[in-house]
Amino acid sequence: RVTVEEEGVTMICERDDFSLTGPLHLTSVDWANEHHRRSVAASLVQGIYVAERDRQLQREGPELALSPLWSEFFHFRLIRKLVDDADFSIFGGIYEYKPSSGTAKSQELSPRFVIAFRGTVNKADSISRDIELDIHIIKNGLHTTTRFEIAMQAVRNMVASVGCSNVWLAGHSLGASMALLTGKTVARTGVLPECFAFNPPFLSPPIERIKDKRIKHGIRIAGSVITAGLALAKKASQQVSQNHRALPAPPDQFAALSDWFPRLYVNPGDHLCSEFIGYFEHRNKMEEIGAGFVERLATQHSLGGLVMDVVSGGKNTEAPVHLIPTAVLTVNMSSSRDFKEAHGIHQWWREDKLFDTKIYQYK
């Protein structure tokens, strides 16, 4: 079904209707089960997408609004909507978990609150602002936006109020970048929130799509050597400047994140996020061939980020969002019909998909 308006009546888009496309099989959640945790987190993010479409299509009230069921089915309630200050769209929300007795297993592993962020919504009321944020990701400037400031304040306040062990972060696409960036920001202070990032953008040429493994590996090695060389030159320049001004060396922010294990969910058919697969696999291969030092330096930087740093005159000190030292990486091994399906959030609660999960830790 599609969304159309006829004589003032708004028809329902199938993707928005929980009763048609939601994980109805999860009538009882086992919080120790990875599939259950992933499915609930993805559903809450979908609830934010639907909340924004509810707003734009004026689906208000218990009879028309479709977003509540995406959370209430799992006993979550949306207690606060995060609203963009530029276009007043709903880009995120804070959910509170209020289970009834006997509705779930392993309750000690459940969150008390989930802060979820949606991705780009292709509607007139939000598309221009969302694309602006997408461009900020490309330019490595998401941390300079007011949307990030709103999100960051919400995360800091919630963590300070209830503790990081009671708070989950979740997001899809643009929202996944928001979840990772807010998570990285608090993780540098020793606060390590659970984070679920679905189809997070990785800004790089789609090397992962090259079929010949030798060519692919060769390109990655060359890229690592060039990136490491530029990073060393940048570091040497910074040390000269610090010595000249008698400043202490800055802390290693990348290593400071090594104890934080965000959960990344990627699809090889989605060129926006598939490079995460090669990013982590290549690190292991470089260790195997004795070039671990080169890759440990290269993995902290991106060629694009180094170029943008030169353009900004060294003012942009935030590392690109996708550069993460450690992660729990889950890959959807099932084939997708097209890019839209490979990038969609619905895949992450489907029972008929084959998932492969690996843990990568920075050493």
Side-chain angles (χ1 to χ4, degrees):
R1 294 189 293 177
V2 296
T3 301
V4 298
E5 292 189 7
E6 182 178 355
E7 296 181 358
V9 178
T10 301
M11 301 297 289
I12 299 172
C13 176
E14 182 175 309
R15 64 181 176 176
D16 290 355
D17 193 335
F18 183 87
S19 65
L20 295 176
T21 59
L24 296 170
H25 58 282
L26 285 182
T27 54
S28 178
V29 175
D30 180 0
W31 290 106
N33 185 301
E34 163 61 18
H35 172 66
H36 290 196
R37 290 156 61 89
R38 181 184 68 243
S39 298
V40 173
S43 295
L44 296 179
V45 173
Q46 174 66 358
I48 302 301
Y49 273 111
V50 180
E52 172 56 16
R53 287 192 281 266
D54 280 346
R55 182 189 74 87
Q56 294 194 27
L57 296 172
Q58 298 182 348
R59 298 188 302 221
E60 301 175 352
E63 294 183 359
L64 293 179
L66 298 178
S67 59
L69 194 55
W70 287 93
S71 56
E72 292 174 358
F73 186 84
F74 305 108
H75 303 281
F76 283 87
R77 183 171 62 91
L78 185 59
I79 61 172
R80 180 189 167 192
K81 297 173 181 176
L82 301 181
V83 178
D84 191 282
D85 64 337
D87 65 359
F88 306 106
S89 66
I90 301 168
F91 72 88
I94 302 176
Y95 293 98
E96 183 178 16
Y97 182 46
K98 288 287 189 179
S100 55
S101 59
T103 58
K105 300 178 182 178
S106 305
Q107 290 282 18
E108 69 278 3
L109 300 177
S110 70
R112 284 181 57 194
F113 297 91
V114 176
I115 305 176
F117 306 100
R118 65 164 176 82
T120 302
V121 171
N122 296 317
K123 293 287 185 181
D125 287 356
S126 57
I127 184 64
S128 61
R129 176 61 168 166
D130 287 351
I131 289 178
E132 179 187 341
L133 271 292
D134 292 332
I135 293 173
H136 272 292
I137 294 177
I138 296 172
K139 295 169 61 177
N140 188 29
L142 186 61
H143 61 289
T144 67
T145 65
T146 54
R147 182 179 290 191
F148 170 73
E149 291 176 3
I150 295 169
M152 195 66 248
Q153 192 62 47
V155 172
R156 282 198 177 106
N157 289 346
M158 190 56 63
V159 168
S161 298
V162 301
C164 72
S165 62
N166 294 308
V167 179
W168 284 8
L169 305 177
H172 174 251
S173 192
L174 167 61
S177 289
M178 193 69 74
L180 286 173
L181 187 53
T182 55
K184 286 173 70 173
T185 302
V186 297
R188 292 193 189 104
T189 67
V191 176
L192 309 176
E194 192 83 79
C195 181
F196 297 77
F198 302 98
N199 299 84
F202 191 109
L203 302 177
S204 169
I207 301 172
E208 190 60 30
R209 308 197 68 173
I210 298 174
K211 301 300 182 182
D212 191 308
K213 292 184 178 180
R214 290 175 300 176
I215 294 177
K216 181 163 60 176
H217 190 42
I219 292 174
R220 292 197 189 283
I221 291 176
S224 293
V225 172
I226 294 171
T227 302
L230 291 174
L232 280 174
K234 176 184 175 181
K235 185 176 181 180
S237 176
Q238 289 175 336
Q239 286 178 339
V240 170
S241 176
Q242 287 157 8
N243 292 337
H244 179 71
R245 292 182 291 171
L247 294 176
D252 188 341
Q253 294 189 350
F254 196 78
L257 296 172
S258 60
D259 291 331
W260 183 52
F261 287 81
R263 298 176 181 275
L264 312 182
Y265 301 92
V266 306
N267 188 312
D270 176 8
H271 62 270
L272 293 179
C273 69
S274 62
E275 277 304 299
F276 271 109
I277 301 172
Y279 174 71
F280 287 109
E281 287 183 350
H282 178 62
R283 234 162 53 182
N284 286 353
K285 290 178 180 178
M286 290 290 277
E287 289 285 352
E288 292 172 2
I289 65 174
F293 169 76
V294 173
E295 187 56 24
R296 280 192 293 275
L297 183 58
T299 196
Q300 303 180 41
H301 304 272
S302 70
L303 283 173
L306 290 169
V307 170
M308 290 303 300
D309 189 62
V310 171
V311 173
S312 66
K315 295 178 181 179
N316 193 355
T317 58
E318 180 68 40
V321 178
H322 63 264
L323 297 181
I324 301 171
T326 56
V328 180
L329 181 68
T330 296
V331 179
N332 183 352
M333 306 300 292
S334 304
S335 60
S336 301
R337 292 171 296 181
D338 50 30
F339 167 76
K340 184 177 181 180
E341 182 177 295
H343 188 66
I345 195 169
H346 288 68
Q347 65 184 298
W348 300 113
W349 59 72
R350 293 274 299 273
E351 288 187 290
D352 60 345
K353 300 298 182 182
L354 177 63
F355 301 110
D356 178 58
T357 299
K358 293 180 181 178
I359 299 174
Y360 294 94
Q361 186 166 16
Y362 181 74
K363 300 177 181 178

